[in-house]
Amino acid sequence: MSARGVKQTALRLLGAAVLMFGFGYALIPLYNVICDVTGINGKSSSLQQAAGADGAEIDQSRLIKVEFIGTPNSELPWEFRPLVKSVEVHPGAVTDIYYHARNLADYSITGQAVPSVVPSPAARHFSKIECFCFTKQTLAAGETKAMLVKFRLDPEIDPAINQVTLSYTFYALDDEGAVKQPNAEPVEMDHSHHAQVPAG
């Protein structure tokens, strides 16, 4: 092989090596992008967070009032309430609000919040990007915690909807992770009315 041929072969091999290195270097960022978009490997989608960050997809012509409600179940001795009763948001904008929770018992308690959105047609346009309701929450005796909800209303929400309510009911969980049920009252039969009434 001539010296010129050897030089051309060496240049081709060098070019191939550079391309392989570049592909390997880009592989991890590419994988992260795929994970962000698809949710693979536990990565949550960043599309909703990106929307609204630079003003894109925000409907500045509309304001929707979002009200917040928080209720602890009767078996959960906690204070639980939103720190703000309502906010007005532009569809597409990302908004942060917090709920206050405090364990009034003298022992640690684990609970789980269950959300509800009304009116029901708004529910599929209400995206919770981050929420304490995604996981169980444990508060030590007397512990107080601020619980974040990061949400976004889809700009495609029905134009007739101008108010949405997000409510949470916090339930106490037992050691097996099941919801604690109120103790049933003993009952006795009232034969004169043929109905069951609470004893006592």
Side-chain angles (χ1 to χ4, degrees), residues 82-107:
L83 291 180
V84 293
K85 292 184 177 180
S86 66
V87 295
E88 289 189 332
V89 301
H90 293 291
V94 175
T95 303
D96 291 0
I97 67 102
Y98 287 86
Y99 275 72
H100 159 86
R102 181 187 175 204
N103 183 2
L104 302 177
D106 58 1
Y107 52 90

Side-chain angles (χ1 to χ4, degrees), residues 153-177:
L153 288 175
D154 190 335
E156 298 301 318
I157 191 170
D158 188 340
I161 296 176
N162 53 31
Q163 183 169 315
V164 176
T165 300
L166 172 65
S167 63
Y168 290 94
T169 302
F170 231 122
Y171 293 91
L173 302 180
D174 61 22
D175 293 339
E176 297 180 353

Side-chain angles (χ1 to χ4, degrees), residues 126-149:
F126 197 110
S127 300
K128 291 183 287 295
I129 300 167
E130 293 182 39
C131 181
F132 58 87
C133 63
F134 292 163
T135 58
K136 300 173 185 177
Q137 301 292 328
T138 300
L139 295 183
E143 182 181 359
T144 298
K145 188 174 184 180
M147 298 185 173
L148 170 67
V149 181

Side-chain angles (χ1 to χ4, degrees), residues 24-60:
Y25 183 79
L27 188 59
I28 293 177
L30 181 62
Y31 172 75
N32 285 334
V33 169
I34 293 172
C35 287
D36 285 342
V37 172
T38 63
I40 295 173
N41 198 30
K43 290 179 176 285
S44 60
S45 173
S46 63
L47 294 180
Q48 291 176 329
Q49 298 181 52
D54 57 1
E57 297 187 24
I58 295 179
D59 186 352
Q60 299 284 358

Side-chain angles (χ1 to χ4, degrees), residues 12-22:
R12 290 194 188 100
L13 290 174
L14 179 61
V18 170
L19 287 174
M20 291 177 65
F21 175 79

